[in-house]
């Protein structure tokens, strides 16, 4: 029975990663150990589950059926085992988070530093990315995104105040080129835009006028996937950029940037920590959720 459960766990890791080495890294064992455990499971079942070639790993028809059948059950078993461990345990283990690059208040470190002090046995693994993907499939415990882009089947709790965007430029640039009075004036300015990946179009700048939302497809003179680069270019006088007021605030207060078009940028719901609905959440995640709740009540 123990060998079967071990073999099934190895099979699930290979099926999810489609790679023996990556599966081994996830399980903390060698590639050879993964291959041997999988071979023993296939021998006991009398059927091939994985199709191996020198270039790829894929599931056989039997493997696909087995994967669909056992994956939910193994999750339930793991949740049950975790529940028993946690009855007398402190929060511990690796907590994997994926966080938007513009979640400034969450990434400032204050909230997370307080959590680490309160739960010293929890280790954080934080991936900063603006890609949208299934956090459960990717192996993350939770994510931080703007509330408007979180799937409806997730639990979401606020981790920031309402947010607001604005355009911004340096005093030097505005002295040379003038100040836009309406978003349509941006077509006559050098703009510094953002896109998440090279294969996507630049982000369309979003505004509201008389209760109506609209966007402007600026033609950026500079496009990048890094907000820090956008700010540095704007501070140097290269053009007008667009982003969260919270991100620009230190540069506005220091006189390096001036906010623009604020009348067309009303506030909207801010960033949320989100995670899947489960009958019982891991203790390490519940501890973070409780810590966020206490921090927001102060």
């Amino acid at each position: 029975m123990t060998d079967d459960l071990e073999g099934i766990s190895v099979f699930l890791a290979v099926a999810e990663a489609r790679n023996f080495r990556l599966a081994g890294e996830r399980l903390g064992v060698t590639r050879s150990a993964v291959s041997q455990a999988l071979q023993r499971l296939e021998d006991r079942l009398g059927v091939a589950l994985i199709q191996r070639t020198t270039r790829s790993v894929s599931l056989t028809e039997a493997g696909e059926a087995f994967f669909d059948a056992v994956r939910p059950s193994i999750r339930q078993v793991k949740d049950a085992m975790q529940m028993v461990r946690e009855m007398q345990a402190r929060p511990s283990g690796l907590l994997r988070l994926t966080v938007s690059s513009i979640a400034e208040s969450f990434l400032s470190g204050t909230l997370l530093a307080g959590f680490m002090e309160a739960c010293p046995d929890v280790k954080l693994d934080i991936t900063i990315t603006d890609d949208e993907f299934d956090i459960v499939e990717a192996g993350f415990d939770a994510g931080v995104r703007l509330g408007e882009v979180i799937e409806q089947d997730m639990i979401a709790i606020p981790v920031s105040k309402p947010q607001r965007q604005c355009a911004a430029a340096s005093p030097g640039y505005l002295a040379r080129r003038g100040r836009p009075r309406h978003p349509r004036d941006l077509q006559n300015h050098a703009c510094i835009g953002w896109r998440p990946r090279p294969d996507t179009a630049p982000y369309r700048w979003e505004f509201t006028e008389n209760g109506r939302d609209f966007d402007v497809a600026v033609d950026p003179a500079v496009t990048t996937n890094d907000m820090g680069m956008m700010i540095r270019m704007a501070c140097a006088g290269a053009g007008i950029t667009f982003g969260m007021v919270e991100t620009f605030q230190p540069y506005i207060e220091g006189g390096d940037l001036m906010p623009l078009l604020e009348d067309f940028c009303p506030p909207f719901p801010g960033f949320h920590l989100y995670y899947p609905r489960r009958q019982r959440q891991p203790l390490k995640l519940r501890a973070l959720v409780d810590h966020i709740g206490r921090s927001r009540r102060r």
Side-chain angles (χ1 to χ4, degrees):
M1 181 66 176
T2 301
D3 288 344
D4 285 340
L5 288 176
E6 178 188 1
I8 291 171
S9 296
V10 170
F11 165 72
L12 289 175
V14 173
E16 291 171 351
R18 292 296 200 272
N19 184 288
F20 278 57
R21 179 182 59 80
L22 293 178
E25 290 178 357
R26 180 179 298 181
L27 296 169
V29 299
T30 65
R31 184 186 187 283
S32 175
V34 169
S35 180
Q36 292 171 17
L38 186 58
Q39 185 64 60
R40 289 194 297 270
L41 176 64
E42 290 179 325
D43 291 343
R44 288 194 296 275
L45 293 175
V47 64
L49 302 173
I50 300 290
Q51 181 69 41
R52 312 162 180 82
T53 70
T54 56
R55 296 185 177 180
S56 66
V57 173
S58 60
L59 300 184
T60 63
E61 183 178 359
E64 291 281 5
F66 191 62
F67 180 70
D68 291 340
V70 303
R71 191 183 190 195
S73 299
I74 288 295
R75 269 211 183 123
Q76 291 177 354
V77 170
K78 288 182 177 179
D79 287 346
M81 294 175 67
Q82 185 68 20
M83 174 187 68
V84 173
R85 291 192 193 103
E86 290 174 356
M87 291 180 70
Q88 299 297 327
R90 297 197 306 171
S92 63
L94 184 66
L95 185 62
R96 299 188 67 216
L97 306 176
T98 172
V99 184
S100 170
S101 66
I102 56 174
E104 198 70 32
S105 57
F106 188 84
L107 292 172
S108 65
T110 304
L111 185 145
L112 292 177
F115 172 69
M116 293 174 66
E117 183 178 357
C119 301
D121 295 331
V122 176
K123 296 184 182 298
L124 296 177
D125 184 326
I126 303 171
T127 297
I128 310 299
T129 178
D130 295 302
D131 290 342
E132 295 181 18
F133 53 86
D134 185 338
I135 61 171
V136 176
E137 190 73 27
F140 288 95
D141 295 291
V144 175
R145 291 283 182 273
L146 287 171
E148 61 191 30
V149 298
I150 295 174
E151 296 87 345
Q152 293 298 311
D153 61 345
M154 292 283 177
I155 298 174
I157 61 171
V159 294
S160 78
K161 298 176 181 178
Q163 298 289 299
R164 195 165 60 80
Q165 296 191 103
C166 75
S170 71
Y173 174 86
L174 297 176
R176 294 196 317 272
R177 299 288 299 273
R179 177 188 291 262
R181 302 298 177 183
H182 190 278
R184 61 174 169 264
D185 297 337
L186 293 168
Q187 303 292 343
N188 301 318
H189 283 268
C191 292
I192 303 166
W194 176 84
R195 63 179 176 185
R197 298 182 305 277
D199 59 346
T200 57
Y203 168 71
R204 298 169 70 97
W205 296 9
E206 298 176 276
F207 300 96
T208 299
E209 184 175 27
N210 298 324
R212 181 179 65 87
D213 298 331
F214 66 101
D215 56 53
V216 175
V218 299
D219 182 19
V222 177
T223 306
T224 178
N225 68 335
D226 182 67
M227 177 58 69
M229 181 67 178
M230 294 166 64
I231 291 173
R232 287 191 289 272
M233 292 294 288
C235 289
I240 299 174
T241 194
F242 190 79
M244 295 291 181
V245 172
E246 186 177 68
T247 303
F248 294 150
Q249 198 61 43
Y251 304 92
I252 292 172
E253 293 175 356
D256 298 305
L257 292 176
M258 298 183 67
L260 306 169
L261 303 173
E262 292 183 283
D263 290 343
F264 301 92
C265 301
F268 54 87
F271 292 96
H272 290 65
L273 178 85
Y274 68 101
Y275 49 93
R277 297 180 185 276
R278 290 176 179 164
Q279 187 170 4
R280 188 173 183 87
Q281 296 293 342
L283 182 59
K284 58 189 177 182
L285 179 57
R286 295 207 310 273
L288 177 61
V289 171
D290 291 343
H291 177 75
I292 290 172
R294 289 191 297 269
S295 298
R296 290 185 60 80
R297 287 193 294 270
R298 288 172 188 160

